Amino acid sequence: MFYFATFFRVASALAVGSWLTGCAGLRSDELPMSSFTARAAAAAEAARVVRVIDADTYIMLSGGSTYRLRLLGADAPEPDQAFGPQAADSVAKLLPVGRVVLVAKAGMDLYGRTLGAVLLPTSTVAAAGWPVSLDSLLVVRGWAWAYDPDRRVAGWAVQQAQAAQRGRGLWKCGDSQAVSPKLWRSFDARNKRRYLGSCTW
């Protein structure tokens, strides 16, 4: 609870402009809120951003140690994939080096990365001052696929469908141009050239 209170004191002292920019164009009913966000915030700890590797993987600093964090609820395009650089750039604007955020950890993956959620302050945007999870924001803005390996339907599937319908982010050229990162990672170099797509930002 100390981390939670400290985080919001720090966050209120920082400019929240980057978060508001990230929400530009969203109606209040489109903000990605859930009871998960409140539960995750209660168990989260403060961490400082060291580096954004790509749109869903970051280096974080907490308690004097760094660790690699992989977002649990979103799968963003790979750096060599169409829209990968744009997705990473959108996250880098929200997570500048040195920014303090809340991290709700949820175990480790097979690659030794910490799985979890990054929570952003929204006291000026959302009801009850809940933070918003970055994975859900990426899905809503069209910069990632909803992802949940433990369920048949990912938690943000509805938001992904809305982003695709409205042509946001990687969906701007339609479903046919969007190749999921999981499929992209299975491609060899020849198939990657073939499926890179002609749709540019």
Side-chain angles (χ1 to χ4, degrees), residues 25-27 29-31 140-142 158-175:
L26 287 179
R27 299 190 315 266
D29 63 334
E30 291 178 292
L31 290 173
V140 167
R141 296 301 289 170
V158 172
Q159 287 80 1
Q160 177 181 314
Q162 290 173 346
Q165 182 181 30
R166 292 166 184 165
R168 291 180 179 148
L170 62 87
W171 306 105
K172 72 172 271 200
C173 296
D175 290 4

Short mmCIF file of all heavy atoms in Angstrom, two decimals, residues 25-27 29-31 140-142 158-175:
data_model
loop_
_atom_site.label_atom_id
_atom_site.label_comp_id
_atom_site.label_asym_id
_atom_site.label_seq_id
_atom_site.Cartn_x
_atom_site.Cartn_y
_atom_site.Cartn_z
N GLY A 25 -8.77 11.46 -28.74
CA GLY A 25 -9.70 10.87 -29.68
C GLY A 25 -10.56 9.76 -29.10
O GLY A 25 -11.44 9.25 -29.76
N LEU A 26 -10.31 9.36 -27.86
CA LEU A 26 -11.12 8.34 -27.23
C LEU A 26 -12.26 8.97 -26.45
O LEU A 26 -12.06 9.94 -25.75
CB LEU A 26 -10.30 7.48 -26.27
CG LEU A 26 -9.32 6.49 -26.88
CD1 LEU A 26 -8.59 5.76 -25.77
CD2 LEU A 26 -10.03 5.50 -27.77
N ARG A 27 -13.46 8.39 -26.59
CA ARG A 27 -14.58 8.82 -25.75
C ARG A 27 -14.41 8.20 -24.38
O ARG A 27 -13.71 7.21 -24.20
CB ARG A 27 -15.90 8.37 -26.38
CG ARG A 27 -16.16 8.93 -27.77
CD ARG A 27 -17.59 8.63 -28.20
NE ARG A 27 -17.98 7.26 -27.93
CZ ARG A 27 -17.88 6.28 -28.83
NH1 ARG A 27 -17.38 6.50 -30.02
NH2 ARG A 27 -18.28 5.04 -28.52
N ASP A 29 -16.37 6.38 -22.72
CA ASP A 29 -16.82 5.00 -22.64
C ASP A 29 -15.86 4.04 -23.32
O ASP A 29 -16.02 2.83 -23.26
CB ASP A 29 -18.23 4.84 -23.22
CG ASP A 29 -18.28 5.18 -24.70
OD1 ASP A 29 -17.44 5.97 -25.17
OD2 ASP A 29 -19.17 4.64 -25.39
N GLU A 30 -14.82 4.56 -24.01
CA GLU A 30 -13.83 3.72 -24.67
C GLU A 30 -12.59 3.51 -23.82
O GLU A 30 -11.72 2.73 -24.17
CB GLU A 30 -13.42 4.33 -26.00
CG GLU A 30 -14.49 4.32 -27.06
CD GLU A 30 -14.02 5.00 -28.32
OE1 GLU A 30 -13.81 6.22 -28.29
OE2 GLU A 30 -13.86 4.31 -29.32
N LEU A 31 -12.47 4.25 -22.71
CA LEU A 31 -11.30 4.08 -21.87
C LEU A 31 -11.29 2.66 -21.29
O LEU A 31 -12.30 2.20 -20.79
CB LEU A 31 -11.30 5.11 -20.73
CG LEU A 31 -11.04 6.54 -21.18
CD1 LEU A 31 -11.23 7.49 -20.01
CD2 LEU A 31 -9.65 6.68 -21.75
N VAL A 140 -6.82 -0.91 -27.41
CA VAL A 140 -7.83 0.09 -27.76
C VAL A 140 -7.33 1.03 -28.86
O VAL A 140 -8.07 1.39 -29.76
CB VAL A 140 -8.24 0.90 -26.51
CG1 VAL A 140 -9.03 2.14 -26.88
CG2 VAL A 140 -9.07 0.04 -25.57
N ARG A 141 -6.05 1.41 -28.78
CA ARG A 141 -5.49 2.32 -29.77
C ARG A 141 -5.07 1.62 -31.07
O ARG A 141 -4.63 2.25 -32.01
CB ARG A 141 -4.28 3.06 -29.19
CG ARG A 141 -4.60 3.97 -28.02
CD ARG A 141 -5.61 5.04 -28.36
NE ARG A 141 -5.08 6.05 -29.23
CZ ARG A 141 -5.80 6.99 -29.82
NH1 ARG A 141 -7.10 7.03 -29.63
NH2 ARG A 141 -5.23 7.88 -30.59
N GLY A 142 -5.20 0.29 -31.10
CA GLY A 142 -4.89 -0.45 -32.32
C GLY A 142 -3.43 -0.76 -32.51
O GLY A 142 -2.99 -1.03 -33.63
N VAL A 158 -13.08 -7.53 -27.27
CA VAL A 158 -14.09 -6.57 -27.76
C VAL A 158 -13.41 -5.27 -28.18
O VAL A 158 -13.72 -4.70 -29.23
CB VAL A 158 -15.16 -6.31 -26.67
CG1 VAL A 158 -16.08 -5.18 -27.09
CG2 VAL A 158 -15.95 -7.57 -26.40
N GLN A 159 -12.45 -4.81 -27.37
CA GLN A 159 -11.74 -3.58 -27.71
C GLN A 159 -10.91 -3.75 -28.98
O GLN A 159 -10.79 -2.83 -29.78
CB GLN A 159 -10.83 -3.16 -26.54
CG GLN A 159 -11.59 -2.59 -25.36
CD GLN A 159 -12.20 -3.66 -24.46
OE1 GLN A 159 -12.05 -4.86 -24.71
NE2 GLN A 159 -12.88 -3.23 -23.41
N GLN A 160 -10.35 -4.96 -29.18
CA GLN A 160 -9.61 -5.22 -30.41
C GLN A 160 -10.53 -5.14 -31.62
O GLN A 160 -10.18 -4.55 -32.64
CB GLN A 160 -8.95 -6.60 -30.35
CG GLN A 160 -8.22 -6.96 -31.64
CD GLN A 160 -7.59 -8.34 -31.58
OE1 GLN A 160 -6.95 -8.69 -30.59
NE2 GLN A 160 -7.77 -9.12 -32.63
N ALA A 161 -11.71 -5.73 -31.51
CA ALA A 161 -12.67 -5.70 -32.61
C ALA A 161 -13.08 -4.27 -32.94
O ALA A 161 -13.22 -3.91 -34.12
CB ALA A 161 -13.89 -6.55 -32.26
N GLN A 162 -13.25 -3.45 -31.91
CA GLN A 162 -13.63 -2.05 -32.14
C GLN A 162 -12.49 -1.28 -32.82
O GLN A 162 -12.72 -0.48 -33.73
CB GLN A 162 -13.99 -1.38 -30.82
CG GLN A 162 -15.30 -1.87 -30.22
CD GLN A 162 -15.56 -1.31 -28.84
OE1 GLN A 162 -14.67 -0.76 -28.18
NE2 GLN A 162 -16.79 -1.47 -28.36
N ALA A 163 -11.26 -1.54 -32.39
CA ALA A 163 -10.11 -0.88 -33.01
C ALA A 163 -9.99 -1.26 -34.47
O ALA A 163 -9.72 -0.42 -35.33
CB ALA A 163 -8.83 -1.24 -32.26
N ALA A 164 -10.22 -2.55 -34.78
CA ALA A 164 -10.15 -3.02 -36.16
C ALA A 164 -11.26 -2.39 -37.00
O ALA A 164 -11.03 -1.95 -38.13
CB ALA A 164 -10.24 -4.54 -36.20
N GLN A 165 -12.46 -2.33 -36.43
CA GLN A 165 -13.60 -1.76 -37.14
C GLN A 165 -13.37 -0.28 -37.47
O GLN A 165 -13.77 0.20 -38.53
CB GLN A 165 -14.87 -1.92 -36.29
CG GLN A 165 -16.13 -1.41 -36.96
CD GLN A 165 -17.34 -1.57 -36.06
OE1 GLN A 165 -17.24 -1.54 -34.84
NE2 GLN A 165 -18.50 -1.75 -36.66
N ARG A 166 -12.69 0.42 -36.57
CA ARG A 166 -12.46 1.85 -36.76
C ARG A 166 -11.14 2.16 -37.45
O ARG A 166 -10.79 3.33 -37.63
CB ARG A 166 -12.54 2.56 -35.41
CG ARG A 166 -13.96 2.52 -34.85
CD ARG A 166 -14.04 2.89 -33.40
NE ARG A 166 -15.42 2.75 -32.94
CZ ARG A 166 -15.79 2.71 -31.68
NH1 ARG A 166 -14.89 2.81 -30.73
NH2 ARG A 166 -17.07 2.57 -31.35
N GLY A 167 -10.39 1.14 -37.81
CA GLY A 167 -9.15 1.33 -38.56
C GLY A 167 -8.06 2.03 -37.77
O GLY A 167 -7.28 2.80 -38.33
N ARG A 168 -7.97 1.74 -36.49
CA ARG A 168 -6.94 2.38 -35.66
C ARG A 168 -5.61 1.62 -35.75
O ARG A 168 -5.59 0.41 -35.82
CB ARG A 168 -7.37 2.41 -34.20
CG ARG A 168 -8.54 3.33 -33.90
CD ARG A 168 -8.87 3.28 -32.42
NE ARG A 168 -9.96 4.16 -32.10
CZ ARG A 168 -10.84 3.92 -31.14
NH1 ARG A 168 -10.74 2.84 -30.40
NH2 ARG A 168 -11.81 4.78 -30.89
N GLY A 169 -4.51 2.38 -35.69
CA GLY A 169 -3.19 1.77 -35.61
C GLY A 169 -2.92 0.77 -36.70
O GLY A 169 -3.07 1.07 -37.89
N LEU A 170 -2.54 -0.45 -36.32
CA LEU A 170 -2.16 -1.46 -37.29
C LEU A 170 -3.34 -1.96 -38.12
O LEU A 170 -3.16 -2.68 -39.11
CB LEU A 170 -1.47 -2.64 -36.59
CG LEU A 170 -2.25 -3.43 -35.55
CD1 LEU A 170 -3.05 -4.57 -36.18
CD2 LEU A 170 -1.32 -3.99 -34.50
N TRP A 171 -4.56 -1.58 -37.73
CA TRP A 171 -5.75 -1.99 -38.47
C TRP A 171 -6.13 -1.00 -39.56
O TRP A 171 -7.16 -1.16 -40.20
CB TRP A 171 -6.93 -2.17 -37.51
CG TRP A 171 -6.65 -3.08 -36.37
CD1 TRP A 171 -6.42 -2.73 -35.07
CD2 TRP A 171 -6.55 -4.50 -36.40
NE1 TRP A 171 -6.18 -3.83 -34.30
CE2 TRP A 171 -6.26 -4.95 -35.09
CE3 TRP A 171 -6.68 -5.46 -37.43
CZ2 TRP A 171 -6.10 -6.29 -34.77
CZ3 TRP A 171 -6.52 -6.79 -37.09
CH2 TRP A 171 -6.23 -7.20 -35.79
N LYS A 172 -5.33 0.01 -39.79
CA LYS A 172 -5.73 1.08 -40.72
C LYS A 172 -5.96 0.58 -42.14
O LYS A 172 -6.71 1.18 -42.90
CB LYS A 172 -4.70 2.22 -40.71
CG LYS A 172 -3.38 1.90 -41.37
CD LYS A 172 -2.51 3.12 -41.51
CE LYS A 172 -2.81 3.80 -42.80
NZ LYS A 172 -1.83 4.68 -43.31
N CYS A 173 -5.32 -0.52 -42.52
CA CYS A 173 -5.50 -1.06 -43.87
C CYS A 173 -6.39 -2.29 -43.90
O CYS A 173 -6.43 -3.01 -44.89
CB CYS A 173 -4.15 -1.36 -44.50
SG CYS A 173 -3.14 0.10 -44.71
N GLY A 174 -7.08 -2.56 -42.78
CA GLY A 174 -8.01 -3.68 -42.73
C GLY A 174 -7.40 -4.95 -42.16
O GLY A 174 -6.19 -5.09 -42.02
N ASP A 175 -8.28 -5.90 -41.85
CA ASP A 175 -7.87 -7.17 -41.25
C ASP A 175 -6.92 -7.97 -42.14
O ASP A 175 -6.05 -8.68 -41.65
CB ASP A 175 -9.10 -8.04 -40.95
CG ASP A 175 -9.94 -7.49 -39.81
OD1 ASP A 175 -9.60 -6.41 -39.31
OD2 ASP A 175 -10.93 -8.14 -39.44
#
